[in-house]
Amino acid sequence: MTALLIAIGGGVGAVARWGVATAIPKSHGGFPVGITVVNVVGSFALGLIVGSVAGGQILFATEPLTIGLLGGFTTFSTWMVDIEEAPRRRMRLATTLVPSVAGLLAAAAGIALGINR
């Protein structure tokens, strides 16, 4: 049953990612705004779930949400391709650093919020 719920969550997450990436395309300079939003929001959500589990707020199996929904929603591979396809060196650096820093901060904020709820 867990595997089925993970599969359903993964499908829902992938469609949500596609929707966000389609609604928020790359900037004129080539920065992947939609994929960055997806990955930062996903990092925050995962941090919130992990923090809530650590803080004793969530007591049920979280695999369908974390592995399924958020695993399907976020994307490492698309981000890597965006870095490789960046038109200029500066854009490649921005495409590497901005999502990394923002994702780490979002995950930390989610964990802190989850633990302190």
Side-chain angles (χ1 to χ4, degrees), residues 13 16-17 20 33-51 65-76 99 102-111:
R17 175 182 67 225
V20 172
V33 179
I35 293 302
T36 299
V37 167
V38 160
N39 286 331
V40 171
V41 168
S43 295
F44 176 79
L46 182 59
L48 185 62
I49 292 168
V50 168
L65 292 174
T66 57
I67 297 168
L69 182 68
L70 294 175
F73 184 62
T74 59
T75 175
F76 184 80
L104 285 169
L105 291 172
I111 290 169

Side-chain angles (χ1 to χ4, degrees), residues 53-111:
V53 168
Q57 303 298 319
I58 295 179
L59 303 175
F60 58 88
T62 59
E63 290 90 353
L65 292 174
T66 57
I67 297 168
L69 182 68
L70 294 175
F73 184 62
T74 59
T75 175
F76 184 80
S77 55
T78 301
W79 176 33
M80 293 299 105
V81 170
D82 286 339
I83 292 169
E84 181 58 32
E85 291 181 344
R88 294 182 321 276
R89 188 172 180 206
R90 250 191 247 174
M91 185 56 67
R92 185 172 286 163
L93 184 61
T95 302
T96 301
L97 293 179
V98 170
S100 297
V101 172
L104 285 169
L105 291 172
I111 290 169

